[in-house]
Amino acid sequence: MAHSGNVVISGDGYDVIDCETCGFKHVTPLPDKLENETLYRDSHYDDGERDRLNYYERDRDWWLMSYRDVLNEITQFISPNDDNTLVDIGCGAGLFLEAAKEEGWNTVGVEISTIAANHCRDKGLDIINSSFDADLTSLPKNIKVVHMRNILEHVPDPFSLINVAFDKLASGGVLVVGVPNDFNPLQEGLRKTQDYKPWWVAVPHHLNYFDFGSLEALVSKCGFNPLSRFSSFPLDLFLAMGDNYIETPSVGRECHLKRVNFEWFMENAGLSHLRQDIYRAFSNLNLGREAIVIAQKP
């Protein structure tokens, strides 16, 4: 596939282009598939800097609450029962699978990292240690949900991954796909007024950069019908208020905990539906840290 478009960011040996062919921003040149898979199979959860799995586990209860919001959104279209399977692609620490099991779904995780796959198996989760490819034959039948969060930004060919999800899903099944909401208005405003560098451009780990419009266009090109969209807390607000978590990681943890406290307040006050409505409203303004879309296979 030939890629062309205006360069929006240049870095050390790469450009990020607004690709006219793909309809979203991505790095050029792109790595090959084998090189990319090797990166995540061998080192993603063993990078020598932090224990990524414990990073998720220490906020376990909050993640489970957050994932219940996503599962509530899914059940507007498909309900869990003994015949319906939910597959989580790139399941990491397995917390979404745990939340889904608690809600009554049959669950299977697909995880390329051996370290993460073993972590999940130690918790009793059903895991396939593999990339998510067309020739993956060990998946169960009647897959009604494919959940794919924070995956598309990492792969050289997002179209291929969405097409595999389309083929694996049963008719009427839904895809839940989420990516970082990059080049959003708050990020661009911070670059313009406070001279921030584009901190969200993280090559070689992040290759593709989406917003709600380009993500919905991608899934539509692959045959899905978008049903709903929602977001997550717009962490860039902290930067706009003077909390520079980009230069000071400890400030980042403090900002994260403020976000966690806000969401627990909404939960404990019986306002979880309002919390979900707020994040739907953010999505219509192209705000929020994530762009999350639910789409259905006809």
Side-chain angles (χ1 to χ4, degrees):
M1 180 185 294
H3 301 284
S4 64
N6 292 330
V7 175
V8 293
I9 296 290
S10 291
D12 184 14
Y14 68 87
D15 294 324
V16 175
I17 63 170
D18 193 355
C19 186
E20 297 171 358
T21 305
C22 297
F24 53 85
K25 299 176 179 68
H26 64 73
V27 168
T28 181
L30 288 161
D32 66 43
K33 185 174 185 289
L34 180 59
E35 176 188 354
N36 180 255
E37 289 185 353
T38 299
L39 175 67
Y40 291 101
R41 180 179 293 109
D42 297 340
S43 63
H44 187 53
Y45 288 100
D46 187 24
D47 60 10
E49 296 178 1
R50 66 176 182 179
D51 187 333
R52 293 175 182 268
L53 296 172
N54 282 337
Y55 171 79
Y56 290 102
E57 294 288 0
R58 67 179 171 177
D59 292 326
R60 172 188 178 80
D61 290 341
W62 171 75
W63 280 110
L64 293 175
M65 175 185 68
S66 176
Y67 288 145
R68 284 193 293 271
D69 284 355
V70 179
L71 291 160
N72 286 339
E73 194 80 13
I74 293 170
T75 56
Q76 294 185 48
F77 310 106
I78 292 182
S79 298
N81 61 51
D82 291 340
D83 296 323
N84 291 344
T85 297
L86 178 151
V87 177
D88 187 20
I89 310 303
C91 54
L95 295 172
F96 184 81
L97 289 172
E98 291 184 58
K101 284 185 70 173
E102 290 177 1
E103 297 295 317
W105 288 95
N106 295 321
T107 63
V108 176
V110 179
E111 174 55 59
I112 193 171
S113 164
T114 302
I115 295 171
N118 288 337
H119 176 86
C120 291
R121 286 170 177 155
D122 288 344
K123 297 197 288 187
L125 298 170
D126 186 1
I127 303 295
I128 300 170
N129 185 196
S130 171
S131 57
F132 186 56
D133 293 322
D135 58 359
L136 183 60
T137 59
S138 52
L139 286 168
K141 305 297 183 184
N142 202 39
I143 297 172
K144 285 294 190 178
V145 177
V146 170
H147 178 263
M148 190 186 300
R149 295 268 293 283
N150 296 313
I151 302 298
L152 290 186
E153 67 270 25
H154 296 282
V155 299
D157 185 2
F159 285 97
S160 176
L161 209 59
I162 299 298
N163 283 328
V164 172
F166 187 93
D167 292 341
K168 300 295 186 184
L169 273 166
S171 297
V174 300
L175 169 71
V176 185
V177 58
V179 292
N181 180 27
D182 288 330
F183 293 92
N184 68 58
L186 290 177
Q187 291 173 337
E188 294 286 34
L190 286 160
R191 288 183 65 200
K192 183 184 300 183
T193 64
Q194 300 185 35
D195 199 29
Y196 273 92
K197 294 180 179 180
W199 68 90
W200 61 91
V201 176
V203 181
H205 291 285
H206 286 201
L207 305 175
N208 309 299
Y209 300 88
F210 296 91
D211 58 16
F212 286 93
S214 60
L215 182 60
E216 288 185 341
L218 169 62
V219 300
S220 297
K221 287 179 182 177
C222 294
F224 286 97
N225 298 321
L227 298 173
S228 71
R229 54 158 67 173
F230 52 104
S231 190
S232 58
F233 191 94
L235 290 170
D236 310 313
L237 279 176
F238 289 114
L239 295 173
M241 292 185 288
D243 295 318
N244 190 342
Y245 59 77
I246 303 302
E247 294 183 0
T248 311
S250 62
V251 173
R253 179 64 182 171
E254 292 171 4
C255 291
H256 169 69
L257 291 176
K258 288 178 182 178
R259 172 250 189 105
V260 168
N261 289 339
F262 165 72
E263 295 188 352
W264 273 121
F265 158 74
M266 301 292 280
E267 183 78 7
N268 295 331
L271 299 174
S272 60
H273 290 293
L274 177 59
R275 179 181 64 231
Q276 294 169 56
D277 288 343
I278 289 170
Y279 292 150
R280 290 190 196 98
F282 277 145
S283 73
N284 292 325
L285 299 170
N286 197 30
L287 295 177
R289 187 63 201 101
E290 288 181 273
I292 306 167
V293 168
I294 295 181
Q296 188 170 41
K297 177 177 177 176

